[in-house]
Amino acid sequence: MTELDKVLNKDLSDASKKTYLSMYKRLRDILGNDILKTSNPEIIKKIKNIDASPNSIDGLIKIAIIVKKAHKKATKKLDKYKADYQKEIEKFNDNKKEELSKTILSAQDLYDYLEMLKQNENKIVEYIVNYLIIHFNTRNKDLDLKIINKKSDINDEDNFLYINKKTKKITYIRNSYKTAKTYGKKENVIDDAHFYNIINKINNGRLINVAPSSFNKTIQRLTLNEIGTGMYFKILSSSAKPKELKNLSKNRGTSVDTIVENYIV
């Protein structure tokens, strides 16, 4: 039985359990020891020395407090540090809002851009990339994929757009993405005649064939105003209704808590 079991055994949602487990593993790696075996001043000292966003740091403080309280250990110093740290989080979030406002973009702008690409036969790759980012809330890594028309070519390591000529649908398969170890393989059937026809027209193989070192920059250049996948997700998350966040969470492979803490402005 680990020190986290008392926390995970409580009446928590699966999403919260995954979030707590992820934060716990990260904090334990930083501490090099169990939370219960580390003094509160040492936890604070170690957390202060890491390079991470204020919201991520707040999450680490939070899991330290949760674990200690679950085992009836003192948390007074951690509680004070967390309360004092709220000013940093507010400053960080204000800067995010300013950053987002500078783009002067809305979710509708992204959909309008996608529609413009749809009408341009010279922007096929741009259309495919933006379609996947907008509809499946992808990161860059999700877009490193192969287009195939044989089911036998599918494996458990790569990402694919599989052309099913019988159903005239595309299956988007993701095995390789940032949080795959936590959320597993993702498979989405795309029932969109135009998208099917576009994919069916282009050659099989890698959608974007560039050196790994150039891949992220290439994806960024294909987005509206070169704002990148992260900013797309911020815009889409910020315009989503509360009930829609669960779908964004499922698409991206991240918890609703993470979306609320790090993306919604």
Side-chain angles (χ1 to χ4, degrees):
M1 185 172 181
T2 70
E3 61 184 355
L4 190 63
D5 287 341
K6 277 195 175 183
V7 175
L8 297 184
N9 284 339
K10 292 185 177 180
D11 188 20
L12 293 173
S13 68
D14 289 341
S16 293
K17 286 180 181 179
K18 287 177 180 177
T19 300
Y20 284 177
L21 182 59
S22 175
M23 289 192 299
Y24 172 76
K25 286 180 177 178
R26 187 176 181 195
L27 180 57
R28 199 185 182 290
D29 286 343
I30 291 166
L31 299 178
N33 206 345
D34 288 348
I35 292 173
L36 294 178
K37 293 180 181 178
T38 310
S39 68
N40 291 344
E42 185 66 13
I43 290 173
I44 294 169
K45 180 181 176 182
K46 290 283 182 72
I47 289 177
K48 281 182 176 180
N49 287 332
I50 67 170
D51 182 18
S53 74
N55 284 319
S56 294
I57 290 174
D58 186 60
L60 296 175
I61 303 168
K62 179 181 178 181
I63 194 64
I65 292 171
I66 288 172
V67 169
K68 293 233 174 186
K69 283 187 174 179
H71 291 269
K72 302 187 185 306
K73 301 295 182 182
T75 61
K76 186 175 180 180
K77 289 183 179 179
L78 289 172
D79 290 332
K80 184 178 185 305
Y81 180 55
K82 190 176 189 304
D84 292 342
Y85 200 74
Q86 294 307 304
K87 291 179 182 178
E88 288 295 323
I89 295 172
E90 289 172 9
K91 182 180 177 182
F92 178 73
N93 288 336
D94 286 343
N95 288 339
K96 283 203 304 179
K97 288 179 182 179
E98 184 179 352
E99 177 189 359
L100 186 59
S101 66
K102 284 179 180 178
T103 67
I104 319 176
L105 293 175
S106 65
Q108 188 59 51
D109 290 320
L110 301 185
Y111 284 107
D112 289 345
Y113 182 60
L114 182 63
E115 184 61 28
M116 183 273 290
L117 294 174
K118 181 178 179 179
Q119 306 302 327
N120 192 332
E121 293 183 357
N122 297 318
K123 299 283 187 180
I124 289 176
V125 173
E126 288 91 333
Y127 172 68
I128 295 170
V129 165
N130 279 270
Y131 185 99
L132 296 176
I133 298 171
I134 290 170
H135 288 287
F136 299 103
N137 312 117
T138 69
R139 302 178 182 87
N140 291 343
K141 192 174 182 181
D142 307 47
L143 302 166
D144 185 5
L145 56 84
K146 300 174 185 176
I147 296 172
I148 59 172
N149 57 21
K150 294 180 181 178
K151 203 166 186 177
S152 58
D153 289 336
I154 298 173
N155 60 44
D156 294 327
E157 298 175 357
D158 301 311
N159 302 326
F160 302 95
L161 286 175
Y162 165 57
I163 304 168
N164 189 326
K165 295 195 175 184
K166 289 183 179 180
T167 64
K168 295 192 180 301
K169 296 176 184 177
I170 303 295
T171 303
Y172 181 28
I173 300 166
R174 285 179 282 169
N175 291 300
S176 178
Y177 63 98
K178 184 178 179 181
T179 54
K181 288 184 179 179
T182 302
Y183 292 91
K185 177 180 180 179
K186 290 192 173 294
E187 191 168 316
N188 300 92
V189 176
I190 303 172
D191 188 6
D192 182 320
H194 180 81
F195 190 77
Y196 173 85
N197 290 333
I198 289 291
I199 299 297
N200 202 29
K201 283 180 183 177
I202 64 179
N203 294 330
N204 285 2
R206 290 204 171 276
L207 176 64
I208 300 172
N209 198 11
V210 297
S213 59
S214 303
F215 188 81
N216 288 341
K217 194 65 178 177
T218 299
I219 295 298
Q220 184 175 351
R221 290 191 185 115
L222 297 176
T223 59
L224 176 59
N225 295 349
E226 299 189 10
I227 63 174
T229 58
M231 189 60 77
Y232 269 45
F233 193 63
K234 283 184 181 181
I235 293 169
L236 293 168
S237 298
S238 298
S239 67
K241 296 176 181 177
K243 289 182 179 179
E244 295 171 336
L245 291 179
K246 190 172 289 187
N247 190 49
L248 268 68
S249 167
K250 184 178 178 181
N251 278 343
R252 192 169 175 85
T254 192
S255 70
V256 172
D257 288 343
T258 298
I259 295 174
V260 172
E261 290 174 7
N262 296 285
Y263 291 97
I264 293 181
V265 295

